[in-house]
Amino acid sequence: MPVPLDQLFLFLGGSILITVVPGPDMALVFRQVLLGGTPLAQRTIFGNLSGLGPHRARPEGGARAAVTPAVPHSASPRSTSGAR
């Protein structure tokens, strides 16, 4: 089912706008550059990056657990082959 051109152009315009406009973290860094110069902006960037680690690690572990099938120990290849 083809997408009507008016809807396609609306989607493309919105996609380009979202890509070009900076997010709140970049707006904060820009503000810090204007108010306190490079040292304050660098501390802000470090704070942003240090917060990304835990946020990235937590969903990663949950996603890995959700897509990894649970295999009972008795059905694992190692236990059926007799090798230790």
Side-chain angles (χ1 to χ4, degrees), residues 44-82:
T44 304
I45 292 169
F46 178 74
N48 283 345
L49 292 176
S50 65
L52 288 176
H55 285 288
R56 170 85 171 119
R58 184 175 173 115
E60 183 74 22
R64 190 176 301 128
V67 296
T68 305
V71 178
H73 181 68
S74 61
S76 68
R78 183 174 175 179
S79 65
T80 57
S81 66

Side-chain angles (χ1 to χ4, degrees), residues 6-82:
D6 60 336
Q7 289 182 359
L8 180 64
F9 289 135
L10 254 160
F11 173 78
L12 287 175
S15 299
I16 291 170
L17 185 67
I18 287 173
T19 303
V20 172
V21 173
D25 55 343
M26 287 304 299
L28 177 64
V29 171
F30 184 69
R31 176 185 173 269
Q32 300 296 68
V33 166
L34 294 177
L35 292 179
T38 303
L40 184 58
Q42 287 175 340
R43 288 195 303 267
T44 304
I45 292 169
F46 178 74
N48 283 345
L49 292 176
S50 65
L52 288 176
H55 285 288
R56 170 85 171 119
R58 184 175 173 115
E60 183 74 22
R64 190 176 301 128
V67 296
T68 305
V71 178
H73 181 68
S74 61
S76 68
R78 183 174 175 179
S79 65
T80 57
S81 66

